[in-house]
Amino acid sequence: MSSRSVCLVLLLAIVALASALRADTRQSKPPATSAASHDRRADALKHDAITEIDALQTLTQQMVDSIFSFGELGFHEFETSKYLVRILKENGFRVEEGVAGIPTAWVATWGSGKPVIALGSDIDGIPQASQKPGVAYHDPLVAGAPGHGEGHNSGQAVNITAAIAIKKLMERDRITGTIKIWPGVAEELDGSKPYFVRAGMFKDVDVCLFSHVSSNLGTSWGSPSGTGSIDVIYNFQGESAHAAGAPWRGRSALDAVELMNIGWNFRREHLRLQQRSHYVINNGGDQPNVVPPTASVWYYFREIDYPRLKELWDVGTKMAEAAAMMTDTKMTSMVITGEAYPQHSNKAVAEAMYANIQRVGLPQWSDADQTLAKALQRELKVREVGLASQLAPLGQPVPEERNMGGGSDDIGSIMWTVPTVTLRYPANFEAGPGHSWANGVAMATPIAHKGSTAGAKAQALTMIDLLLDPKLVAAAWEYFKTEQAKSPNYPYRPLIRPDDKPATWLNKNIMDQYRPAMQKFYYDPTKYKTYLEQLGIKYPTVR
Ligand SMILES: [Zn+2]
C-alpha cells in the first residue's frame, strides 16, 4: 500500500470516528451558545465542515507551501495559477482562465442556483522579499528575488479548503447554491479587481467573502482605517542631445520628473494628514551623456474617500503639467495598474462571520511557533508578544475623524459592487513592517498552516450561514443599499477609465531575471512532507 493510501484509510477512519462522536455529543449536549441563533441543521453542518477541514490539513499545507515557493510577482503568477487551477479542476470545479484580459486570472465555479457565494484572495508577492521560511533573521533563498513578503501565499489555501469541504456537504445534503473562487492577481499593483468588476464577474454574485492574512482571526464591518488608492504613471517626452556637446539643444524628460517630485514634496506639507503618496522613477533615462528624451514617474495617491482621492490625483496632475511647462516637455498620464476604491465591509455578513470566528477560535501554537515569533520580534526590535493569544473583537466602523489613513486593497472595487467582508486569519504574527522579507518568515511554517486551517473553518461556517439562511443574504443587501449607500464613496465610480487596461507587462523583467534561480526551490509535495523539510531548515532557526 502506498503511503498515500495509508493516509487515506487513516483519514477515513478519523472522519468516521469524529462523526460517531458528534452523533453522541449532539444527543447529550445542546449547541454552543455562539451558534444559538442558528438552527440545529446549520449547527450540525458546521460541525461536519470543521471535521472535513481538519481532514484536509495536508492539502491546505501543500497549497500554502507551494505558492510560497513560487514567490511570483503580480501579473506573473503563472505557476501559482496553473497549480490552483489543477486542484480546482480535480475537485470538480469548472474553470474559466485568462478572464478580464489578464493571463493569470481565472474564475472557478461549482454548483448551481442561488445563493452565489464568491470567495477571493490575493496571490502575488513582493519585490526583493525572498526569505527562508522558519528563519528568524534576514536570509534570502535567492538574493534579490521576489517572495511572499505579505503572505498572499495562504489566502487561496483558506478559500479552496473551505470550498472543497462545503461542496462535499452540499452534495451529500443536496443543498442548492453556487461557489465561485477567484484570485486577487497583482493586488500589490491594485491590478485586477476593478477589471474583474468591469468584466461583469460579480453580476450574479450574492455575497463575496474575501480573505487576507493577518496576525489574528477576525473581521469587521463598515469603513476601516485606511485609504483608497489610484496608481498613475506620468510620462514626459523631451528631446535628446549630446549632454556635453550640445546640451542646449536637449529638453530633458528627467528634469520634468525631478521637478514634479520636488513640487510634490513641497506641497506634501500642505496636504491632509490622512493622505499617503509615494513614487518611484520607473524610467530615469538611459545613460548620463544622452539628454533623456523620455522619462516617467509612477505615483500612488491615497486618500480616505472617493472625492478626496480625486482631488489629490488632480493636484498630482497639476504638478506634472507644471513640470512639463518648466522643461518644455510633453506630459501624458495613464492609470498604470488600477485602483483601490476605499473599503467598506458588510455588517450583516461580518456579524455572522464573527460568531463563526468565536466558534473556531485561535489555533494551538507550539513552543516552536512561539520561539520563532519572539525571536523575529527581538530581531526587529518590536515588542516580544509572540503569537495572538486572544481573539480580536469584531471590528467596528472607524469614524472619519479617527481615520488617519494607511494602506489600501483593490477589494474596495468589489465591496461597492456586492456585499463583501474580509476574513482575517492568523497565518502570521505581529513583527514585520509589511511588504518585507520579515513578513514572509512565518508563511511556510506550522504557523501559516494552522492559521490557514482556522481561516478555512471560519470561511466555511459563514458559507453555511449564507447557504441555509436566505434572510442573511437579504439583510446583507438591505445594509448595502441603505446604510452603505450613505457614504461619500457611493455609488461606485470606477477610477479606472474606459480605455485603461491591466498592465500585464509589469514585473516581466524581474520575473525573467529571477525565475530560473527560483525554480530550483519550487516545493515538491510528492517528495517532502513540508517545504521546511525540503529546504532542510530546522524549525525554528533563531540566532
Ligand atoms: Zn495583501
Side-chain angles (χ1 to χ4, degrees), residues 426-450:
N428 209 337
F429 50 85
E430 282 178 35
H435 294 181
S436 148
W437 62 268
N439 292 69
V441 165
M443 290 314 304
T445 70
I447 295 169
H449 305 149
K450 288 184 274 195

Side-chain angles (χ1 to χ4, degrees), residues 122 150 152 187-188 212 409:
D122 304 327
E150 175 152 333
H152 285 177
E187 186 279 325
E188 301 300 348
H212 198 283
D409 189 299

Side-chain angles (χ1 to χ4, degrees), residues 84-121:
L84 293 174
V85 165
R86 179 174 61 75
I87 291 172
L88 286 160
K89 283 184 176 167
E90 281 170 5
N91 282 281
F93 283 77
R94 317 184 283 284
V95 186
E96 191 192 337
E97 296 179 67
V99 295
I102 301 172
T104 54
W106 41 267
V107 189
T109 309
W110 180 85
S112 62
K114 292 280 189 180
V116 180
I117 304 169
L119 307 178
S121 199

Side-chain angles (χ1 to χ4, degrees), residues 238-519:
E239 295 274 350
S240 68
H242 194 300
W248 51 87
R249 293 180 61 183
R251 295 289 175 266
S252 170
L254 178 61
D255 288 355
V257 164
E258 292 192 79
L259 286 165
M260 177 185 175
N261 293 344
I262 288 167
W264 186 262
N265 287 330
F266 272 93
R267 182 64 179 266
R268 196 189 290 277
E269 187 185 350
H270 310 289
L271 296 170
R272 280 163 35 90
L273 300 178
Q274 292 87 338
Q275 72 86 30
R276 299 284 191 281
S277 50
H278 15 259
Y279 57 80
V280 294
I281 297 174
N282 60 317
N283 172 12
D286 301 304
Q287 57 187 59
N289 66 342
V290 180
V291 173
T294 62
S296 44
V297 58
W298 177 6
Y299 270 76
Y300 275 31
F301 299 113
R302 307 193 203 226
E303 251 288 6
I304 62 171
D305 61 33
Y306 172 86
R308 286 164 169 140
L309 186 50
K310 283 276 285 179
E311 248 173 68
L312 192 69
W313 180 9
D314 287 345
V315 176
T317 300
K318 194 188 283 180
M319 295 283 161
E321 284 165 351
M325 210 182 282
M326 281 188 275
T327 51
D328 267 329
T329 57
K330 288 196 176 69
M331 186 278 289
T332 54
S333 73
M334 59 195 275
V335 173
I336 175 62
T337 50
E339 68 181 27
Y341 211 75
Q343 297 183 50
H344 193 111
S345 290
N346 190 272
K347 186 179 184 191
V349 182
E351 285 175 346
M353 181 178 272
Y354 193 70
N356 293 320
I357 283 169
Q358 288 176 303
R359 178 169 180 158
V360 172
L362 283 166
Q364 293 267 316
W365 308 118
S366 68
D367 288 346
D369 299 335
Q370 293 287 7
T371 302
L372 180 76
K374 288 181 179 169
L376 185 63
Q377 287 159 348
R378 200 158 52 241
E379 175 80 14
L380 298 175
K381 300 184 174 62
V382 297
R383 283 200 312 141
E384 277 181 53
V385 292
L387 285 135
S389 57
Q390 216 180 328
L391 286 177
L394 173 63
Q396 304 290 319
V398 176
E400 194 198 292
E401 63 277 11
R402 290 223 321 267
N403 182 358
M404 290 313 293
S408 326
D409 189 299
D410 59 359
I411 187 64
S413 308
I414 297 169
M415 288 174 152
W416 296 92
T417 305
V418 292
T420 303
V421 300
T422 298
L423 167 74
R424 295 183 291 275
Y425 55 90
N428 209 337
F429 50 85
E430 282 178 35
H435 294 181
S436 148
W437 62 268
N439 292 69
V441 165
M443 290 314 304
T445 70
I447 295 169
H449 305 149
K450 288 184 274 195
S452 300
T453 292
K457 289 176 184 173
Q459 198 79 311
L461 268 45
T462 310
M463 291 170 78
I464 291 172
D465 288 331
L466 292 166
L467 287 167
L468 297 191
D469 186 6
K471 286 201 297 288
L472 178 57
V473 177
W477 279 96
E478 178 64 21
Y479 175 84
F480 182 87
K481 288 178 180 159
T482 56
E483 293 307 309
Q484 189 170 339
K486 290 175 187 161
S487 160
N489 298 319
Y490 184 86
Y492 173 53
R493 285 143 288 175
L495 291 149
I496 54 166
R497 299 163 296 193
D499 48 353
D500 287 323
K501 286 191 190 72
T504 53
W505 43 271
L506 271 172
N507 290 329
K508 183 178 184 308
N509 293 348
I510 304 177
M511 287 312 300
D512 285 351
Q513 182 184 349
Y514 287 106
R515 194 186 287 280
M518 294 165 72
Q519 268 165 346

